[in-house]
């Protein structure tokens, strides 16, 4: 997102803390969506919602069916762990190319291509006759998701500069709904249609196809609404004291702490999405219930993604929120250790709260730099670093499970990582800015 730095810290602007990141930036087109016809505006909103909805089902639909996939494809625990690590790896690799592609082709066109990759990957995955095909088609879908992760906020900020807050909330809610819906409905849909796991995974290509139908006319009319000079971010940063491009981001303790915090929370999230249903199933929980428990965990982010950023923006130090989320995560892991089936609903809720470290870290990124260019640079560094850190986590969990034959060792690893997340999050939550070298 380095080509679209628009978030302005509340301390630099002296505005309402709830309006962090909602101010129109130099170089943006304030009337982009406002000047469009009502039909075109509704089409834009529908495009944003549908694209966001499609950014997680490729991941959360797999967890409840992982046992069936492994059996059908003769997939061992290490390869299954690699599969659950693939989202973080693809997000780190392909997400980094998204800004360059957007500068050349425009964000809307690249988002359309991303939705096409998601749809194609999900449609091809059920045809897999072996592990290699399954991994390749999953990577295709995840590559499309990666560019969407990076560019959807750009689309929102360019087309709705006067309504960034509401549209970002709508985008976040749609993403959470897609996450939870895929987790909850995949297994029941397979059983209702008397199908197998291939039908359960392949059906999620349909929302992607619907998104393509909406984004095609959006792209045809997008050119005039998305033209922003490539150097707009530099100008925005230079005029606010502490030029964004001049920040030595790799020497900032704040930047590194945010990157490591992002990595640990992403590790926890992808382990939960990839392995939580299997943990419940191994404890005797039926597959539909295991999928529903994952849906509960993922669905917790729907309301909390609104609440946490507002609370965080009002605090000088976000450490207390970091601590609360970490304690919920540790409680969830302890519950899975001692009584996974008996208290499944409680552990799902606790882990759902803990997973809301994602909107918290995004809010902290916006508060740890004074300028739009600084936020863009910090965001790229923290997310790139974080996703790379998250790659080995699910793989290690799968390997530990295979070698020990149980879940105690993986849960001990996750508890240790959660403790480290707490420690580094307390540093990241300090009221420091990267422009100050903190």
């Amino acid at each position: 997102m380095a080509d679209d730095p628009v978030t302005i810290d509340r301390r630099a602007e002296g505005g309402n803390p709830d309006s962090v990141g909602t101010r129109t930036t130099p170089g943006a087109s304030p009337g982009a969506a406002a000047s469009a016809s009502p039909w075109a505006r509704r089409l834009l909103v529908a495009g944003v919602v549908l694209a966001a909805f499609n950014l997680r089902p490729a991941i959360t639909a797999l967890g409840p069916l992982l046992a069936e996939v492994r059996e059908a494809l003769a997939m061992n625990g290490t390869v299954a762990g690699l599969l659950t690590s693939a989202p973080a790896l693809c997000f780190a690799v392909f997400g980094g190319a998204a800004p360059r592609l957007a500068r050349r082709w425009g964000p809307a066109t690249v988002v359309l291509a991303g939705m096409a990759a998601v749809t194609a990957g999900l449609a091809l995955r059920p045809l897999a006759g072996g592990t290699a095909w399954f991994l390749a088609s999953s990577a295709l879908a995840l590559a499309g998701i990666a560019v969407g992760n990076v560019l959807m906020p750009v689309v929102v900020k360019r087309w709705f500069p006067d309504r960034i807050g509401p549209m970002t909330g709508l985008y976040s809610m749609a993403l959470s709904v897609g996450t939870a819906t895929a987790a909850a409905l995949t297994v029941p849909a397979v059983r209702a249609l008397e199908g197998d796991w291939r039908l359960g995974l392949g059906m999620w290509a349909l929302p992607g196809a619907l998104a393509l139908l909406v984004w095609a006319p959006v792209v045809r009319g997008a050119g005039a609404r998305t033209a922003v000079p490539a150097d707009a971010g530099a100008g925005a940063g230079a005029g606010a004291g502490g030029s964004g491009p001049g920040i030595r981001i790799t020497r900032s303790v704040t930047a590194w702490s945010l990157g490591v915090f992002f990595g640990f929370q992403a590790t926890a999230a992808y382990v939960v999405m990839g392995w939580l249903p299997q943990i419940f199933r191994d404890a005797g929980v039926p597959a539909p219930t295991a999928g529903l428990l994952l849906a509960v965990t993922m669905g917790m982010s729907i309301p909390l993604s609104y609440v946490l950023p507002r609370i965080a923006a009002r605090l000088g130090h976000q450490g207390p929120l970091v601590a609360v989320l970490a304690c919920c995560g540790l409680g969830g892991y302890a519950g899975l250790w001692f009584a996974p089936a008996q208290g499944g609903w409680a552990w799902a809720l606790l882990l759902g709260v803990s997973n809301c470290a994602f909107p918290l870290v995004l809010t902290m990124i916006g508060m740890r730099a004074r300028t739009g260019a600084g936020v863009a640079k910090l965001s790229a560094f923290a997310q790139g670093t974080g996703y790379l850190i998250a790659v080995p986590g699910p793989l290690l969990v799968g390997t530990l499970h295979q070698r020990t034959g149980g879940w105690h060792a993986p849960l001990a690893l996750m508890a240790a990582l959660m403790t480290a997340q707490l420690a580094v999050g307390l540093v990241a939550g300090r009221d420091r800015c990267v422009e100050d070298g903190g």
Side-chain angles (χ1 to χ4, degrees):
M1 288 171 46
D3 62 322
D4 193 64
V6 298
T7 306
I8 299 178
D9 188 84
R10 60 184 172 90
R11 289 164 297 190
E13 297 297 329
N16 187 330
D18 286 346
S19 65
V20 175
T22 62
R23 191 180 298 272
T24 304
T25 52
S29 49
S35 62
S37 68
W39 182 88
R41 189 178 179 88
R42 286 192 291 270
L43 188 66
L44 290 172
V45 172
V48 168
V49 169
L50 285 171
F53 182 92
N54 282 280
L55 293 181
R56 292 299 181 269
I59 304 170
T60 55
L62 178 60
L65 297 175
L66 187 57
E68 288 81 359
V69 173
R70 290 180 61 183
E71 181 180 358
L73 301 181
M75 187 183 297
N76 61 37
T78 300
V79 175
L82 176 62
L83 183 61
T84 55
S85 294
L89 179 61
C90 290
F91 292 170
V93 173
F94 296 106
R100 293 190 296 274
L101 294 173
R103 280 195 294 269
R104 179 172 177 81
W105 303 105
T109 301
V110 180
V111 169
L112 176 66
M115 289 296 102
V118 171
T119 304
L122 290 178
L124 292 172
R125 190 158 66 170
L127 305 178
T131 300
W133 179 279
F134 192 88
L135 289 174
S137 54
S138 295
L140 177 60
L142 292 170
I145 294 172
V147 297
N149 283 340
V150 174
L151 295 181
M152 284 308 300
V154 176
V155 169
V156 168
K157 290 168 183 176
R158 289 187 177 180
W159 283 343
F160 300 92
D162 56 337
R163 295 185 60 79
I164 291 176
M167 285 302 300
T168 300
L170 186 63
Y171 158 79
S172 300
M173 184 178 70
L175 189 151
S176 299
V177 169
T179 302
T181 300
L185 297 185
T186 299
V187 173
V190 168
R191 295 192 172 184
L193 298 173
E194 298 183 354
D196 60 11
W197 63 267
R198 298 178 188 274
L199 178 61
L201 294 182
M203 69 181 186
W204 295 106
L206 296 177
L210 180 59
L212 285 176
L213 293 177
V214 173
W215 273 96
V218 168
V219 169
R220 283 199 296 268
R225 292 193 295 270
T226 59
V228 177
D231 61 349
S243 172
I247 298 171
R248 295 194 158 192
I249 204 77
T250 58
R251 298 187 180 182
S252 169
V253 173
T254 297
W256 278 107
S257 62
L258 281 168
V260 175
F261 181 77
F262 193 104
F264 285 151
Q265 67 80 29
T267 299
Y270 289 119
V271 167
V272 167
M273 282 190 282
W275 290 111
L276 185 61
Q278 191 65 53
I279 294 174
F280 283 128
R281 292 184 67 176
D282 287 350
V285 176
T289 304
L292 186 58
L293 287 167
L294 177 61
V296 169
T297 300
M298 298 294 102
M300 286 298 296
S301 63
I302 297 175
L304 291 181
S305 62
Y306 283 103
V307 176
L308 278 177
R310 290 180 176 271
I311 297 175
R314 289 188 170 96
L315 297 176
H317 194 308
Q318 288 73 46
L321 291 179
V322 170
V324 169
L325 298 183
C327 288
C328 288
L330 290 172
Y333 295 143
L336 291 175
W337 180 295
F338 292 108
Q342 294 86 338
W345 295 101
W347 319 142
L349 287 171
L350 285 173
L351 291 175
V353 174
S354 179
N355 275 357
C356 289
F358 177 68
L360 175 61
V361 70
L362 291 183
T363 304
M364 288 197 292
I365 288 172
M367 298 176 69
R368 297 286 89 89
R370 287 198 177 93
T371 66
V375 170
K377 198 166 188 177
L378 177 59
S379 178
F381 176 82
Q383 293 197 45
T385 302
Y387 280 129
L388 287 175
I389 291 173
V391 170
L395 178 61
L396 286 174
V397 167
T399 302
L400 283 174
H401 172 57
Q402 182 179 17
R403 292 190 175 182
T404 63
W407 291 105
H408 283 178
L411 288 170
L413 171 65
M414 295 311 300
L417 293 178
M418 185 61 69
T419 303
Q421 176 181 316
L422 169 60
V424 75
L426 293 175
V427 177
R430 299 176 305 166
D431 191 10
R432 304 288 177 87
C433 289
V434 292
E435 287 90 348
D436 301 331

